[in-house]
mmCIF file of all heavy atoms in Angstrom:
data_model
loop_
_atom_site.group_PDB
_atom_site.id
_atom_site.type_symbol
_atom_site.label_atom_id
_atom_site.label_comp_id
_atom_site.label_asym_id
_atom_site.label_seq_id
_atom_site.Cartn_x
_atom_site.Cartn_y
_atom_site.Cartn_z
ATOM 1 N N ALA A 114 -8.650 -6.304 -3.992
ATOM 2 C CA ALA A 114 -7.234 -6.555 -4.246
ATOM 3 C C ALA A 114 -6.355 -5.688 -3.353
ATOM 4 O O ALA A 114 -5.365 -6.156 -2.780
ATOM 5 C CB ALA A 114 -6.912 -6.305 -5.717
ATOM 6 N N ILE A 115 -6.717 -4.397 -3.223
ATOM 7 C CA ILE A 115 -5.939 -3.499 -2.364
ATOM 8 C C ILE A 115 -6.031 -3.942 -0.911
ATOM 9 O O ILE A 115 -5.025 -4.003 -0.191
ATOM 10 C CB ILE A 115 -6.435 -2.051 -2.508
ATOM 11 C CG1 ILE A 115 -6.160 -1.523 -3.924
ATOM 12 C CG2 ILE A 115 -5.761 -1.146 -1.468
ATOM 13 C CD1 ILE A 115 -6.816 -0.183 -4.218
ATOM 14 N N LEU A 116 -7.231 -4.261 -0.444
ATOM 15 C CA LEU A 116 -7.411 -4.650 0.946
ATOM 16 C C LEU A 116 -6.690 -5.955 1.261
ATOM 17 O O LEU A 116 -6.178 -6.124 2.375
ATOM 18 C CB LEU A 116 -8.904 -4.771 1.258
ATOM 19 C CG LEU A 116 -9.666 -3.435 1.262
ATOM 20 C CD1 LEU A 116 -11.168 -3.678 1.294
ATOM 21 C CD2 LEU A 116 -9.234 -2.575 2.443
ATOM 22 N N ARG A 117 -6.621 -6.875 0.299
ATOM 23 C CA ARG A 117 -5.856 -8.109 0.520
ATOM 24 C C ARG A 117 -4.384 -7.780 0.721
ATOM 25 O O ARG A 117 -3.712 -8.367 1.579
ATOM 26 C CB ARG A 117 -6.024 -9.064 -0.671
ATOM 27 C CG ARG A 117 -7.321 -9.850 -0.664
ATOM 28 C CD ARG A 117 -7.245 -11.039 -1.620
ATOM 29 N NE ARG A 117 -6.955 -10.627 -2.983
ATOM 30 C CZ ARG A 117 -7.879 -10.340 -3.886
ATOM 31 N NH1 ARG A 117 -9.161 -10.394 -3.555
ATOM 32 N NH2 ARG A 117 -7.535 -9.996 -5.115
ATOM 33 N N ARG A 118 -3.864 -6.856 -0.092
ATOM 34 C CA ARG A 118 -2.454 -6.493 0.049
ATOM 35 C C ARG A 118 -2.192 -5.844 1.395
ATOM 36 O O ARG A 118 -1.183 -6.119 2.039
ATOM 37 C CB ARG A 118 -2.047 -5.517 -1.061
ATOM 38 C CG ARG A 118 -2.129 -6.076 -2.451
ATOM 39 C CD ARG A 118 -1.262 -5.288 -3.415
ATOM 40 N NE ARG A 118 -1.494 -3.860 -3.378
ATOM 41 C CZ ARG A 118 -2.362 -3.212 -4.155
ATOM 42 N NH1 ARG A 118 -3.108 -3.894 -5.000
ATOM 43 N NH2 ARG A 118 -2.487 -1.910 -4.081
ATOM 44 N N VAL A 119 -3.089 -4.973 1.812
ATOM 45 C CA VAL A 119 -2.887 -4.266 3.077
ATOM 46 C C VAL A 119 -2.936 -5.242 4.244
ATOM 47 O O VAL A 119 -2.136 -5.168 5.177
ATOM 48 C CB VAL A 119 -3.950 -3.161 3.241
ATOM 49 C CG1 VAL A 119 -3.859 -2.532 4.618
ATOM 50 C CG2 VAL A 119 -3.769 -2.091 2.174
ATOM 51 N N ALA A 120 -3.886 -6.155 4.208
ATOM 52 C CA ALA A 120 -4.000 -7.135 5.281
ATOM 53 C C ALA A 120 -2.749 -8.001 5.355
ATOM 54 O O ALA A 120 -2.185 -8.239 6.423
ATOM 55 C CB ALA A 120 -5.243 -7.995 5.058
ATOM 56 N N ASP A 121 -2.320 -8.491 4.212
ATOM 57 C CA ASP A 121 -1.072 -9.253 4.104
ATOM 58 C C ASP A 121 -0.929 -10.289 5.212
ATOM 59 O O ASP A 121 0.072 -10.333 5.919
ATOM 60 C CB ASP A 121 0.124 -8.292 4.120
ATOM 61 C CG ASP A 121 1.380 -8.955 3.557
ATOM 62 O OD1 ASP A 121 1.258 -9.947 2.825
ATOM 63 O OD2 ASP A 121 2.483 -8.476 3.862
ATOM 64 N N ASN A 122 -1.954 -11.121 5.343
ATOM 65 C CA ASN A 122 -1.935 -12.114 6.400
ATOM 66 C C ASN A 122 -1.532 -13.498 5.909
ATOM 67 O O ASN A 122 -1.803 -14.497 6.573
ATOM 68 C CB ASN A 122 -3.326 -12.199 7.054
ATOM 69 C CG ASN A 122 -3.644 -10.971 7.851
ATOM 70 O OD1 ASN A 122 -2.764 -10.398 8.485
ATOM 71 N ND2 ASN A 122 -4.896 -10.551 7.826
ATOM 72 N N SER A 123 -0.876 -13.560 4.765
ATOM 73 C CA SER A 123 -0.503 -14.857 4.215
ATOM 74 C C SER A 123 0.552 -15.523 5.085
ATOM 75 O O SER A 123 1.322 -14.874 5.786
ATOM 76 C CB SER A 123 0.036 -14.697 2.785
ATOM 77 O OG SER A 123 1.261 -13.999 2.800
ATOM 78 N N ALA A 124 0.615 -16.822 5.031
ATOM 79 C CA ALA A 124 1.598 -17.575 5.806
ATOM 80 C C ALA A 124 3.017 -17.195 5.412
ATOM 81 O O ALA A 124 3.925 -17.167 6.241
ATOM 82 C CB ALA A 124 1.395 -19.075 5.599
ATOM 83 N N GLU A 125 3.218 -16.878 4.147
ATOM 84 C CA GLU A 125 4.554 -16.509 3.678
ATOM 85 C C GLU A 125 5.045 -15.267 4.386
ATOM 86 O O GLU A 125 6.204 -15.182 4.796
ATOM 87 C CB GLU A 125 4.534 -16.262 2.170
ATOM 88 C CG GLU A 125 5.884 -15.869 1.607
ATOM 89 C CD GLU A 125 5.828 -15.591 0.116
ATOM 90 O OE1 GLU A 125 4.737 -15.314 -0.396
ATOM 91 O OE2 GLU A 125 6.890 -15.643 -0.523
ATOM 92 N N SER A 126 4.177 -14.272 4.556
ATOM 93 C CA SER A 126 4.592 -13.015 5.158
ATOM 94 C C SER A 126 4.792 -13.140 6.652
ATOM 95 O O SER A 126 5.708 -12.563 7.216
ATOM 96 C CB SER A 126 3.562 -11.923 4.871
ATOM 97 O OG SER A 126 3.520 -11.619 3.500
ATOM 98 N N THR A 127 3.934 -13.908 7.336
ATOM 99 C CA THR A 127 3.996 -13.960 8.786
ATOM 100 C C THR A 127 5.057 -14.921 9.289
ATOM 101 O O THR A 127 5.538 -14.774 10.402
ATOM 102 C CB THR A 127 2.634 -14.371 9.369
ATOM 103 O OG1 THR A 127 2.226 -15.627 8.803
ATOM 104 C CG2 THR A 127 1.577 -13.325 9.049
ATOM 105 N N SER A 128 5.466 -15.876 8.495
ATOM 106 C CA SER A 128 6.423 -16.873 8.971
ATOM 107 C C SER A 128 7.866 -16.471 8.688
ATOM 108 O O SER A 128 8.778 -16.948 9.350
ATOM 109 C CB SER A 128 6.135 -18.236 8.312
ATOM 110 O OG SER A 128 6.322 -18.156 6.909
ATOM 111 N N ASP A 129 8.084 -15.606 7.735
ATOM 112 C CA ASP A 129 9.442 -15.218 7.381
ATOM 113 C C ASP A 129 9.970 -14.139 8.311
ATOM 114 O O ASP A 129 9.224 -13.348 8.866
ATOM 115 C CB ASP A 129 9.484 -14.685 5.943
ATOM 116 C CG ASP A 129 9.257 -15.794 4.923
ATOM 117 O OD1 ASP A 129 9.265 -16.961 5.342
ATOM 118 O OD2 ASP A 129 9.065 -15.473 3.748
ATOM 119 N N GLY A 130 11.309 -14.099 8.454
ATOM 120 C CA GLY A 130 11.955 -12.984 9.117
ATOM 121 C C GLY A 130 12.051 -11.838 8.143
ATOM 122 O O GLY A 130 11.424 -11.834 7.094
ATOM 123 N N PRO A 131 12.852 -10.825 8.489
ATOM 124 C CA PRO A 131 12.988 -9.691 7.579
ATOM 125 C C PRO A 131 13.652 -10.100 6.273
ATOM 126 O O PRO A 131 14.503 -10.982 6.240
ATOM 127 C CB PRO A 131 13.856 -8.708 8.369
ATOM 128 C CG PRO A 131 14.586 -9.544 9.359
ATOM 129 C CD PRO A 131 13.655 -10.658 9.707
ATOM 130 N N ILE A 132 13.253 -9.436 5.192
ATOM 131 C CA ILE A 132 13.918 -9.600 3.902
ATOM 132 C C ILE A 132 15.089 -8.626 3.895
ATOM 133 O O ILE A 132 14.906 -7.435 4.129
ATOM 134 C CB ILE A 132 12.953 -9.282 2.747
ATOM 135 C CG1 ILE A 132 11.714 -10.173 2.811
ATOM 136 C CG2 ILE A 132 13.652 -9.422 1.398
ATOM 137 C CD1 ILE A 132 10.597 -9.715 1.885
ATOM 138 N N VAL A 133 16.281 -9.128 3.648
ATOM 139 C CA VAL A 133 17.469 -8.283 3.667
ATOM 140 C C VAL A 133 18.177 -8.394 2.325
ATOM 141 O O VAL A 133 18.589 -9.477 1.916
ATOM 142 C CB VAL A 133 18.439 -8.676 4.798
ATOM 143 C CG1 VAL A 133 19.664 -7.752 4.795
ATOM 144 C CG2 VAL A 133 17.737 -8.630 6.150
ATOM 145 N N VAL A 134 18.271 -7.269 1.630
ATOM 146 C CA VAL A 134 18.987 -7.202 0.359
ATOM 147 C C VAL A 134 19.852 -5.948 0.390
ATOM 148 O O VAL A 134 19.327 -4.833 0.271
ATOM 149 C CB VAL A 134 18.047 -7.163 -0.860
ATOM 150 C CG1 VAL A 134 18.863 -7.202 -2.160
ATOM 151 C CG2 VAL A 134 17.049 -8.297 -0.832
ATOM 152 N N GLY A 135 21.151 -6.101 0.580
ATOM 153 C CA GLY A 135 22.026 -4.943 0.667
ATOM 154 C C GLY A 135 21.567 -4.015 1.780
ATOM 155 O O GLY A 135 21.341 -4.453 2.921
ATOM 156 N N PRO A 136 21.376 -2.725 1.494
ATOM 157 C CA PRO A 136 20.954 -1.765 2.519
ATOM 158 C C PRO A 136 19.452 -1.782 2.801
ATOM 159 O O PRO A 136 18.962 -0.980 3.584
ATOM 160 C CB PRO A 136 21.374 -0.420 1.943
ATOM 161 C CG PRO A 136 21.362 -0.620 0.470
ATOM 162 C CD PRO A 136 21.729 -2.051 0.221
ATOM 163 N N LEU A 137 18.714 -2.700 2.159
ATOM 164 C CA LEU A 137 17.266 -2.775 2.336
ATOM 165 C C LEU A 137 16.891 -3.863 3.324
ATOM 166 O O LEU A 137 17.369 -4.995 3.243
ATOM 167 C CB LEU A 137 16.587 -3.065 0.993
ATOM 168 C CG LEU A 137 15.069 -3.298 1.027
ATOM 169 C CD1 LEU A 137 14.334 -2.017 1.407
ATOM 170 C CD2 LEU A 137 14.569 -3.824 -0.321
ATOM 171 N N ARG A 138 16.024 -3.504 4.265
ATOM 172 C CA ARG A 138 15.421 -4.468 5.181
ATOM 173 C C ARG A 138 13.913 -4.248 5.160
ATOM 174 O O ARG A 138 13.446 -3.112 5.300
ATOM 175 C CB ARG A 138 15.947 -4.301 6.612
ATOM 176 C CG ARG A 138 17.434 -4.597 6.760
ATOM 177 C CD ARG A 138 17.923 -4.297 8.169
ATOM 178 N NE ARG A 138 17.381 -5.234 9.139
ATOM 179 C CZ ARG A 138 17.956 -6.400 9.449
ATOM 180 N NH1 ARG A 138 19.088 -6.763 8.848
ATOM 181 N NH2 ARG A 138 17.415 -7.198 10.343
ATOM 182 N N MET A 139 13.162 -5.336 5.006
ATOM 183 C CA MET A 139 11.708 -5.247 4.947
ATOM 184 C C MET A 139 11.094 -6.265 5.895
ATOM 185 O O MET A 139 11.528 -7.420 5.950
ATOM 186 C CB MET A 139 11.194 -5.494 3.522
ATOM 187 C CG MET A 139 11.772 -4.574 2.468
ATOM 188 S SD MET A 139 11.017 -4.812 0.818
ATOM 189 C CE MET A 139 9.451 -3.923 1.043
ATOM 190 N N TRP A 140 10.082 -5.827 6.642
ATOM 191 C CA TRP A 140 9.333 -6.700 7.530
ATOM 192 C C TRP A 140 7.903 -6.793 7.002
ATOM 193 O O TRP A 140 7.043 -5.953 7.349
ATOM 194 C CB TRP A 140 9.332 -6.146 8.947
ATOM 195 C CG TRP A 140 10.668 -6.210 9.627
ATOM 196 C CD1 TRP A 140 11.147 -7.204 10.426
ATOM 197 C CD2 TRP A 140 11.702 -5.222 9.567
ATOM 198 N NE1 TRP A 140 12.412 -6.900 10.873
ATOM 199 C CE2 TRP A 140 12.781 -5.700 10.364
ATOM 200 C CE3 TRP A 140 11.830 -3.981 8.917
ATOM 201 C CZ2 TRP A 140 13.954 -4.975 10.522
ATOM 202 C CZ3 TRP A 140 12.993 -3.272 9.066
ATOM 203 C CH2 TRP A 140 14.045 -3.758 9.867
ATOM 204 N N PRO A 141 7.611 -7.781 6.146
ATOM 205 C CA PRO A 141 6.281 -7.862 5.529
ATOM 206 C C PRO A 141 5.140 -7.952 6.530
ATOM 207 O O PRO A 141 4.065 -7.397 6.298
ATOM 208 C CB PRO A 141 6.366 -9.141 4.675
ATOM 209 C CG PRO A 141 7.827 -9.282 4.379
ATOM 210 C CD PRO A 141 8.524 -8.807 5.614
ATOM 211 N N GLU A 142 5.368 -8.652 7.657
ATOM 212 C CA GLU A 142 4.277 -8.798 8.623
ATOM 213 C C GLU A 142 3.914 -7.469 9.271
ATOM 214 O O GLU A 142 2.781 -7.276 9.700
ATOM 215 C CB GLU A 142 4.639 -9.843 9.695
ATOM 216 C CG GLU A 142 5.720 -9.421 10.697
ATOM 217 C CD GLU A 142 7.135 -9.505 10.150
ATOM 218 O OE1 GLU A 142 7.293 -9.905 8.971
ATOM 219 O OE2 GLU A 142 8.074 -9.183 10.896
ATOM 220 N N ARG A 143 4.891 -6.531 9.347
ATOM 221 C CA ARG A 143 4.622 -5.216 9.918
ATOM 222 C C ARG A 143 4.401 -4.158 8.853
ATOM 223 O O ARG A 143 4.089 -2.999 9.176
ATOM 224 C CB ARG A 143 5.802 -4.767 10.804
ATOM 225 C CG ARG A 143 6.159 -5.738 11.910
ATOM 226 C CD ARG A 143 6.935 -5.036 13.027
ATOM 227 N NE ARG A 143 8.081 -4.272 12.552
ATOM 228 C CZ ARG A 143 9.352 -4.613 12.760
ATOM 229 N NH1 ARG A 143 9.624 -5.740 13.406
ATOM 230 N NH2 ARG A 143 10.334 -3.841 12.331
ATOM 231 N N ARG A 144 4.630 -4.524 7.601
ATOM 232 C CA ARG A 144 4.540 -3.584 6.484
ATOM 233 C C ARG A 144 5.460 -2.387 6.730
ATOM 234 O O ARG A 144 5.101 -1.232 6.492
ATOM 235 C CB ARG A 144 3.110 -3.101 6.262
ATOM 236 C CG ARG A 144 2.083 -4.182 6.057
ATOM 237 C CD ARG A 144 2.291 -4.950 4.791
ATOM 238 N NE ARG A 144 1.924 -4.203 3.603
ATOM 239 C CZ ARG A 144 2.073 -4.675 2.360
ATOM 240 N NH1 ARG A 144 2.609 -5.876 2.173
ATOM 241 N NH2 ARG A 144 1.727 -3.947 1.327
#
Side-chain angles (χ1 to χ4, degrees):
I115 294 171
L116 291 168
R117 280 196 302 269
R118 296 201 308 268
V119 173
D121 199 21
N122 290 323
S123 67
E125 180 182 21
S126 294
T127 56
S128 63
D129 290 350
I132 302 168
V133 181
V134 184
L137 175 67
R138 295 175 69 88
M139 304 185 78
W140 290 267
E142 71 282 0
R143 304 201 309 250
R144 305 294 286 177

